Structures are given as structure tokens and as C-alpha cells.
Amino acid sequence: MPSLDVIEVLDWFDANARDLAWRKPGTTGWGVLVSEIMLQQTPVARVEPIWLAWMARWPLPSSLAAVSQGEVVRAWGKLGYPRRALRLHAAAGVIAAEHNDVVPADIDTLLALPGIGAYTARAVAAFAYGQRCPVVDTNVRRVVARAAHGAGDAGPPSTTRDLADVEALLPADPATAARASAALMELGAVVCTARAPRCGDCPVVSSCAWQRAGRPAYDGPAKAVQRFAGTDRQVRGLLLDVLRGSTDPAPKTRLDLVWSDACQRDRCLHSLVVDGLVEQTEDGRFALPGEHRQGVTK
DNA sequence: CAGGCGTGGGC
DNA sequence: TGCCCAAGCCT
């Protein structure tokens, strides 16, 4: 009873891989890193046009590092979680200054950069540099949970255990292992999906433990529900959207229009300033950071 | 370590 | 603006 034959998944991937922009030959480590940061919690379709624009405008870490934080946040557009843009900008500065403008290949060095965690560090090491290391995202966790463990979905993440779990599945050859990781992710993204898996299209359906078990429903602890409407996240998004939309600093009266609850509004504006996503100008207006002289943080 | 952090598409 | 989901990271 084979648990999960990644070679089968690899063969399927060779024939069915999506033609994503960052998978083109010649994509640099920088290109891979930018794509991975943008793809965190964000669908491929929304990322692709932004990634292409960024690569054309900022082909090197140093080119991104050279512009203001505000420009970067503005170019991030509506990808969401704009703190990612700030962290990527900071990482680019470190890469330019300390790593000769080349994205590091060493996992621990990558982990030391802002915004790069267990997944992204290994994704860069594997996809940009062909290293043999487990690359575990939500797709891989789901595929392994089903095909190997026979569960309806993955349980709560545990980085240490998840990494060991997937490491054991990887082929010995580094380049093949790296492609196998991409293949597992792709399978989870387009076939072994969370909601309605297309098992009829799955290359490992015949050996899938979840199939064998009769496709039982997920029986683990309930996953935390992420509310959005009415949260600070929504209000922060509305505030930032105003500032992205104008090159001139906005008076607070303009920002007051986006949300009726003044208390929540002010709390969110303040938190944006604390996060470095917003600056207050000398005359008391608000703007994206670094685009106007001496922002006053208060 | 559970919860905070954007945004939009699918149903 | 109901609910779930999408290549996570940070504190």
C-alpha cells in the first residue's frame, strides 16, 4: 500500500503544469522571491499582472530598495496584506547591501530576512536554486493529509512535523525533489482542492488513502473563522485605499469619510502609522510613507 | 500560539 | 459584506 508516489505527481506535473510567469526559464532568485511573497494568501490570478509590472520596473533587489516605501505600497496595489510590501522592500535593502544584490540560497540566511518564513525560505531554496528541501504550504499539507494519511483535510499546522512528513516523500536527487515540491503544490492548487476536489483528474487517485477510506469528512478541530466585515482589517484597507489613490497627502477630513465609527477609524489610522504604512506630514495630513518630507509619527 | 493582518472570487 | 477560501508571517 504505497502512501504517496510523488513520481506519479511529477509526471502529471510535467504534462499539466500551468504556464505561470515566474516559472519561465531565466527567472532569477529575486523573481522567485517576489512571486512567493506576493502569493502568500493571495490567488495566482491576482498576482501575475503585478509581478510582471514589478519585474519590469525593479529587476534587481537594489532597484526596489532605491525607491520609497510609499512607492512600493502604491505599486502593491490591492494584493492585500500590504505589510508584505514593506517587508519585501526591507528585505531587498538587506539583499542589496549585504548579499551583493543576489537573493541568498541558504535557508537560514533567507529566514533571517523580514517577511520570509518557513515556507518562503524553502520555496526560494528549491524553486530558485534547485535544492532538496521540503516545501510545505497549505496545498501540500492537504495533499499529504488526503493521499498519504486518508484524512479529509490537514489538521493544525506544525512546522517541524510537517517538514519531516514531506521530507520523507522527496526523491533523492535535488533537482527532482524541487520539481516534486512544485508538483505537489500544483496538484493541491488545481485538483486536490479544499472545496470540491477533482479526483477524476488526479494522477494518484488509485493509490489515494482518502479514496480508499471512502473520502471521510475532515474530523479534526474546527478551523478558526476569519471575519472581515466590520473588522479593523477592513477599515485599514479603506484608509490605505484613499492614500494609494492620491499622490498628494490627504487631510484627515477626507479619511473620516471612509468609516462612520470615529473610534475605530482613529485606532486603525494610528495602527497604520505604527506599522509604517502611513505617515503624517508636518501640516497634519496623511500620506504613504517616504513620499513627502519629514513625516511626523505621533 | 492564537489571533491579527487585505482583498476579491466562488457559491 | 452570508460563508469559505487563497503558494503565510509575525508577535
Side-chain angles (χ1 to χ4, degrees), chain A residues 185-257:
Chain A
M185 288 176 60
E186 186 87 346
L187 186 67
V190 307
V191 172
C192 193
T193 55
R195 189 96 53 121
R198 303 163 56 193
C199 299
D201 297 330
C202 182
V204 293
V205 64
S206 62
S207 64
C208 177
W210 187 47
Q211 289 291 331
R212 204 157 49 228
R215 298 176 54 154
Y218 172 70
D219 65 346
K223 312 201 169 188
V225 272
Q226 279 270 22
R227 303 286 170 205
F228 178 68
T231 62
D232 285 6
R233 246 170 41 247
Q234 180 183 19
V235 179
R236 285 164 56 105
L238 292 171
L239 291 168
L240 213 53
D241 197 39
V242 171
L243 302 183
R244 273 196 306 261
S246 73
T247 53
D248 291 333
K252 187 158 185 308
T253 51
R254 172 68 185 90
L255 297 175
D256 287 345
L257 301 178

Side-chain angles (χ1 to χ4, degrees), chain A residues 9-60:
Chain A
V9 182
L10 241 181
D11 290 342
W12 167 86
F13 184 63
D14 286 338
N16 296 280
R18 289 169 295 175
D19 186 25
L20 304 176
W22 43 87
R23 287 180 177 167
K24 286 194 170 64
T27 302
T28 63
W30 171 240
V32 171
L33 174 59
V34 172
S35 77
E36 292 300 340
I37 299 290
M38 288 182 171
L39 286 163
Q40 291 169 3
Q41 302 285 282
T42 308
V44 164
R46 223 178 304 165
V47 165
E48 205 152 18
I50 306 292
W51 182 85
L52 287 168
W54 276 48
M55 288 300 101
R57 186 173 178 187
W58 298 306
L60 296 170

Side-chain angles (χ1 to χ4, degrees), chain A residues 101-286:
Chain A
D101 223 9
V102 177
V103 172
D106 176 69
I107 289 176
D108 288 327
T109 307
L110 287 161
L111 285 171
L113 297 171
I116 298 186
Y119 163 76
T120 303
R122 289 171 178 79
V124 170
F127 303 150
Y129 299 114
Q131 294 181 56
R132 183 183 184 280
C133 55
V135 182
V136 186
D137 73 335
T138 185
N139 290 307
V140 173
R141 282 168 25 77
R142 184 174 56 250
V143 168
V144 172
R146 287 178 179 161
H149 302 328
D153 200 353
S158 160
T159 302
T160 306
R161 187 168 43 71
D162 294 341
L163 289 176
D165 228 19
V166 173
E167 210 278 338
L169 298 174
L170 293 182
D173 174 63
T176 308
R179 287 184 54 73
S181 289
L184 287 173
M185 288 176 60
E186 186 87 346
L187 186 67
V190 307
V191 172
C192 193
T193 55
R195 189 96 53 121
R198 303 163 56 193
C199 299
D201 297 330
C202 182
V204 293
V205 64
S206 62
S207 64
C208 177
W210 187 47
Q211 289 291 331
R212 204 157 49 228
R215 298 176 54 154
Y218 172 70
D219 65 346
K223 312 201 169 188
V225 272
Q226 279 270 22
R227 303 286 170 205
F228 178 68
T231 62
D232 285 6
R233 246 170 41 247
Q234 180 183 19
V235 179
R236 285 164 56 105
L238 292 171
L239 291 168
L240 213 53
D241 197 39
V242 171
L243 302 183
R244 273 196 306 261
S246 73
T247 53
D248 291 333
K252 187 158 185 308
T253 51
R254 172 68 185 90
L255 297 175
D256 287 345
L257 301 178
V258 307
W259 198 252
S260 58
D261 181 341
C263 178
Q264 184 176 21
R265 217 172 50 214
D266 292 346
R267 178 176 71 242
C268 288
L269 183 56
H270 178 71
S271 75
L272 285 169
V273 172
V274 169
D275 286 350
L277 285 163
V278 170
E279 272 182 1
Q280 191 167 20
T281 57
E282 273 191 334
D283 60 14
R285 292 180 293 167
F286 294 88

